[in-house]
Amino acid sequence: VRYGTNFSTDDHYSRVTVQAEGFDYCGAFTRKTAANSTFYEIRKASGGTITMWKRELGVATQLGAAVADTFSAGDRYEVRTIDSSIEYWKNAAQVATRTDTAITANLGAGILANHLTQDFAAWSGEDVTASAAAATGVSGIIPWGRVAGILPWGQDNQSGAL
């Protein structure tokens, strides 16, 4: 589900906080088009791994090998794109980096959610620079357990409940 308002730059992050452990294919994405067919993502995959992906016009390509890790309740997972770096962060520590130059200029971010199995407690996203986060962050709280359908976010002030 893509946040409805674009960020200022294509250097930004998308972060989820896990409320309860679920199954597979949930995560966060950056540099997403409004058409939802081009973006970078991290996602929980089967077998206790996190995978990093590039999706261009609907065609998915895994970026490098899977990272041994799992989504656990209370943990924060983030995909951060800065220039040609696509980074996977867990609890404010960088875990893995991939390099890719295919997707530029897209300003959207959001979450991937398997509404039957993964509970997210919160989402946040923000423009970043190579050295520090800018002060244009957005965030929201998911007031119900599981994400399903469209998030009713405010379009005018980049904030609102998920």
Side-chain angles (χ1 to χ4, degrees), residues 42-74:
I42 59 165
R43 99 169 72 132
K44 180 180 182 246
S46 59
T49 61
I50 305 297
T51 53
M52 299 170 71
W53 294 83
K54 165 180 61 177
R55 186 174 303 266
E56 291 182 279
L57 301 175
V59 177
T61 304
Q62 186 170 330
L63 300 174
V67 177
D69 205 346
T70 59
F71 279 15
S72 301

Side-chain angles (χ1 to χ4, degrees), residues 1-2 16 24-29 41-43 71 110-120 142 144-149 151:
V1 178
R2 182 180 181 273
V16 294
D24 300 328
Y25 310 110
C26 303
F29 57 78
E41 69 178 278
I42 59 165
R43 99 169 72 132
F71 279 15
I111 62 172
L112 302 159
N114 179 340
H115 73 280
L116 298 176
T117 58
Q118 187 70 54
D119 290 341
F120 291 135
I142 301 172
W144 60 88
R146 293 182 168 92
V147 175
L151 303 180

